[in-house]
């Protein structure tokens, strides 16, 4: 899909559908919506007057005006209360628009810039979120559908004010680039688990190579040489051996410190010998969403020219059960030298992440490590599918992540890593055990990782609840959301560390 700016009068613009908007409670629309309303004989204000449309958040009004404007269709989207309207609402507002356009198989959609006039948002920011939203909302995984979804070929923003054109164009392009990188990652997450095994994830990562991105894929031999006991153990039950995917992006000055992005890449999580129940197991194809997200973040960083040196490290395994699988009771020696007693083969994510964190530390000496993982069901219980769990070992980096979360609109809620939680992952036979019991499960998993991050500033994101939506919510269609790529890109673009 092409996203582009059109400078001119929206009423005269030819497109398959025009999109205008209304804040809740507005009786006579102004701006571009007012102009369209006038041109089509007051159909929008009549709908408001008769109570057919109130501009509530999520509400839409579809019109076939017949004459008055060049386009055959007009869609009015409700933006809700003006005081509650944020940049992320701009993104969210695109979902009903693109859904309708896809259903009607329209090819060109032309929209006004929401929120930049009466809403008081910065035009460049509003355009960035609109471009991002259009690309994200246009996404559909229809690979295995005989009847393909409609594809919008052009999303245009029509702006009458020439003076903001350059900013709007820039915002639109940056938002669309980010959206495209995210959709690339969503395709990986949506792929059936038999289509995308550790070798497949590595192949997808290789396609990122070129320009400032260098991709290296390591296999069992290297993992053995580096004594990655966690990665090797979890991968043992599968016919496809584990991979360690490393994608370096050199956008910073030579010699600047690395930011390491570590993402869980379990292409399918059966639970292993500690087998999961059959119900819902098919969803465990999204257990690589953290890994896909980190690779997508590198793709976005390259597309946006972010000035920072970034390395994504994705341990990729398939957690299967077979005669060669690792067992509860096994004791693993991790790359860091620490030993871990396995009590559940289903708590596999932390084992592969621990080795990946150690690898990142040893190889890259990063000044910050961020990890993302669909790590625990406990995090889903604690926070639902509205916000990710976030944990870390330093106030400064956690503060920067909080800021990035607020600016990006991707919610992250901090859970504490108080020292007392360490008790729960003490083992009788080894340094640690891989589960911490029923209490505070998201935290004890985070605590386990903290043991390996050591004193490198580190933040862990548990995205188990937010990487996949069951139902449409918060402007996400059902399926992979692409979380936490927007938050990461915001963090990477922000000041401090790396290139500074
Ligand atoms: N991949 C799962 C976590 C998960 C659960 C992700 C639900 C998405 C939705 C993880 O590997 C796992 O199985 N965790 C166990 C840990 C337990 C054995 C300590 C869990 O959460 O039940
Ligand atoms: Zn598991
Ligand atoms: Zn898992």
């Amino acid at each position: 899909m092409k996203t582009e700016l059109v400078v001119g009068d929206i009423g005269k613009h030819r497109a398959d559908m025009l999109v205008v908007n209304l804040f809740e409670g507005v009786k006579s629309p102004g701006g571009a919506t007012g102009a369209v309303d006038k041109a089509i004989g007051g159909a929008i204000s009549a709908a408001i007057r008769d109570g057919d449309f109130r501009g509530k958040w999520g509400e839409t009004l579809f019109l076939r005006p017949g004459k008055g404007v060049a386009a055959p269709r007009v869609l009015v989207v409700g933006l809700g209360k003006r005081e509650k309207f944020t940049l992320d609402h701009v993104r969210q507002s695109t979902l009903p628009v693109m859904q309708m356009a896809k259903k009607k198989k329209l090819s060109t959609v032309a929209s006004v810039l929401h929120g930049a006039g009466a809403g008081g948002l910065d035009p460049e920011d509003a355009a960035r979120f609109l471009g991002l939203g259009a690309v994200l909302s246009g996404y559909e995984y229809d690979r295995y559908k005989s009847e393909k979804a409609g594809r919008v070929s052009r999303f245009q923003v029509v702006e009458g004010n020439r003076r903001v054109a350059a900013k709007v164009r820039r915002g639109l392009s940056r938002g669309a680039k980010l959206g495209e990188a995210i959709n690339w990652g969503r395709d990986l997450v949506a792929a059936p688990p038999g289509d995308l095994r550790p070798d497949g994830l590595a192949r997808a990562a290789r396609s990122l190579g070129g320009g400032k991105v260098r991709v290296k894929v390591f296999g069992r031999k290297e993992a053995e040489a580096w004594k990655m006991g966690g990665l090797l153990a979890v991968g043992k039950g599968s016919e496809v051996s584990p991979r360690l995917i490393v994608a370096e992006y050199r956008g910073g000055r030579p010699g600047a410190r690395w930011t390491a992005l570590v993402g869980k890449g379990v292409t399918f999580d059966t639970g292993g010998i500690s087998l999961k129940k059959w119900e819902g197991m098919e969803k465990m194809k999204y257990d690589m969403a953290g890994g896909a997200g980190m690779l997508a973040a590198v793709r976005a960083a390259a597309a946006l020219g972010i000035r920072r040196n970034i390395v994504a490290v994705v341990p990729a395994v398939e957690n299967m059960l077979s005669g060669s699988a690792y067992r509860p009771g096994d004791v693993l020696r991790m790359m860091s030298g620490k030993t871990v007693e396995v009590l559940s083969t289903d708590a596999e994510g932390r084992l592969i992440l621990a080795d990946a964190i150690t690898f990142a530390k040893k190889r890259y000496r990063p000044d910050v490590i961020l990890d993302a993982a669909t790590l625990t069901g406990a995090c889903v219980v604690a926070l639902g599918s509205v916000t990710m769990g976030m944990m870390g070992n330093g106030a400064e980096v956690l503060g920067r992540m909080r800021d990035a979360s607020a600016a990006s609109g991707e919610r992250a809620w901090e859970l504490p890593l108080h020292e007392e939680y360490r008790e729960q992952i003490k083992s009788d036979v080894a340094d640690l055990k891989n589960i911490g019991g029923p209490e505070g499960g998201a935290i004890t998993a985070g605590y386990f990782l903290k043991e390996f991050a050591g004193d490198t500033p580190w933040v862990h994101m548990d995205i188990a609840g937010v990487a996949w939506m069951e139902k449409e919510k918060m402007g996400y269609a059902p399926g992979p959301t692409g979380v936490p790529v927007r938050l990461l890109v915001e963090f990477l673009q922000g000041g401090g560390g790396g290139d500074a």
Side-chain angles (χ1 to χ4, degrees):
M1 188 178 72
K2 250 185 108 161
T3 49
E4 59 195 10
L5 172 71
V6 175
V7 179
D9 178 353
I10 189 160
K12 298 206 182 87
H13 183 64
R14 219 174 262 286
D16 294 323
M17 183 162 77
L18 296 184
V19 183
V20 292
N21 62 48
L22 192 79
F23 279 113
E24 190 177 336
V26 174
K27 291 281 179 290
S28 63
T33 306
V36 169
D37 184 40
K38 266 201 199 82
I40 62 175
I44 300 172
S45 35
I48 302 169
R49 189 180 353 97
D50 298 345
D52 288 325
F53 184 66
R54 282 177 294 178
K56 280 190 174 297
W57 175 239
E59 202 185 358
T60 54
L61 173 69
F62 179 72
L63 300 167
R64 294 258 349 176
K67 55 182 191 301
V69 288
R73 303 169 191 83
V74 172
L75 184 68
V76 192
V77 297
L79 300 184
K81 294 207 167 68
R82 188 170 301 179
E83 345 46 281
K84 284 175 96 180
F85 193 74
T86 66
L87 281 171
D88 197 54
H89 286 91
V90 177
R91 171 192 65 84
Q92 295 190 32
S93 75
T94 60
L95 190 61
V97 173
M98 297 303 283
Q99 279 173 340
M100 182 175 291
K102 280 191 288 186
K103 213 169 108 201
K104 295 183 184 295
K105 308 237 186 250
L106 307 182
S107 93
T108 311
V109 174
S111 175
V112 296
L113 187 56
H114 309 301
L121 301 176
D122 173 72
E124 181 170 338
D125 287 341
R128 184 159 53 88
F129 276 73
L130 188 55
L132 166 76
V135 172
L136 293 179
S137 300
Y139 173 83
E140 188 133 352
Y141 185 77
D142 61 1
R143 180 155 193 199
Y144 289 104
K145 287 266 173 84
S146 304
E147 195 172 321
K148 301 293 179 199
R151 290 227 186 275
V152 174
S153 60
R154 270 161 205 275
F155 183 86
Q156 303 170 319
V157 174
V158 185
E159 175 58 59
N161 181 356
R162 222 162 260 288
R163 277 176 315 192
V164 295
K167 283 184 145 198
V168 171
R169 192 174 287 119
R170 185 181 137 90
L172 204 55
S173 147
R174 290 186 78 79
K177 279 180 183 163
L178 174 56
E180 275 148 21
I182 293 174
N183 286 349
W184 176 83
R186 288 165 97 189
D187 261 339
L188 301 178
V189 178
D195 285 9
L196 194 96
R197 299 172 85 190
D199 52 340
L201 188 57
R203 200 170 325 115
R206 276 208 178 95
S207 75
L208 294 179
K212 290 181 175 170
V213 181
R214 209 166 105 195
V215 180
K216 299 182 221 168
V217 177
F218 303 106
R220 190 166 44 207
K221 279 213 181 73
E222 289 96 343
E224 276 165 1
W226 297 327
K227 300 190 165 64
M228 299 181 124
L231 184 71
L232 286 164
V234 178
K236 260 175 35 176
S238 171
E239 287 166 0
V240 179
S241 61
R243 301 288 194 282
L244 186 75
I245 303 165
V246 180
E248 296 173 350
Y249 164 70
R250 290 170 199 267
R253 56 179 170 76
R257 300 281 297 272
W258 291 94
T259 299
L261 307 178
V262 177
K264 175 174 174 181
V266 176
T267 62
F268 192 57
D269 184 10
T270 66
I273 301 291
S274 315
L275 188 63
K276 285 183 184 295
K277 67 172 191 291
W278 69 270
E279 256 177 319
M281 196 195 281
E282 73 286 350
K283 277 195 64 194
M284 282 301 122
K285 68 177 185 179
Y286 89 90
D287 216 15
M288 35 59 76
M294 292 318 195
L295 295 171
V298 166
R299 191 179 171 95
L304 294 169
I306 292 179
R307 303 241 290 263
R308 192 185 284 270
N309 293 335
I310 302 163
V311 59
V313 179
V314 179
V317 293
E318 191 179 39
N319 190 19
M320 300 295 270
L321 66 170
S322 72
S324 58
Y326 78 133
R327 315 153 192 81
D330 281 350
V331 174
L332 316 176
R333 188 173 293 280
M334 311 292 280
M335 185 185 189
S336 75
K338 279 193 176 25
T339 56
V340 178
E341 181 189 11
V342 176
L343 291 187
S344 167
T345 60
D346 197 11
E348 82 297 342
R350 63 198 77 182
L351 299 172
I352 64 169
L353 289 169
D355 277 344
I357 287 171
T358 304
F359 173 86
K361 278 181 56 154
K362 287 200 172 157
R363 270 288 186 101
Y364 292 90
R365 309 217 162 273
D367 60 359
V368 56
I369 300 176
L370 307 178
D371 83 71
T374 46
L375 203 60
T376 67
C379 193
V380 190
V381 172
L383 300 172
S385 55
V386 173
T387 178
M388 71 180 83
M390 173 170 93
M391 289 146 258
N393 61 1
E396 200 265 341
V397 63
L398 278 163
R400 277 163 59 205
M401 286 291 280
R402 256 194 310 274
D403 292 345
S405 163
S408 67
E410 278 188 350
R411 295 202 178 111
W413 195 258
E414 194 181 339
L415 301 174
L417 292 180
H418 298 308
E419 253 172 57
E420 288 80 354
Y421 289 109
R422 194 177 186 292
E423 279 296 306
Q424 290 175 242
I425 51 170
K426 265 191 184 161
S427 162
D428 294 334
V429 301
D431 300 333
L432 295 165
K433 60 185 180 190
N434 79 331
I435 61 175
E439 294 181 4
I443 295 176
T444 50
Y447 209 107
F448 183 92
L449 298 178
K450 178 175 128 111
E451 291 286 312
F452 295 86
D455 47 22
T456 303
W458 153 83
V459 173
H460 159 61
M461 288 161 271
D462 193 329
I463 58 169
V466 293
W468 188 280
M469 285 292 156
E470 283 301 319
K471 288 192 251 160
E472 183 180 315
K473 192 172 184 170
M474 300 193 299
Y476 296 115
T481 59
V483 175
V485 181
R486 293 195 285 137
L487 187 161
L488 288 168
V489 168
E490 190 64 46
F491 179 94
L492 296 167
Q493 272 175 327
D499 196 42

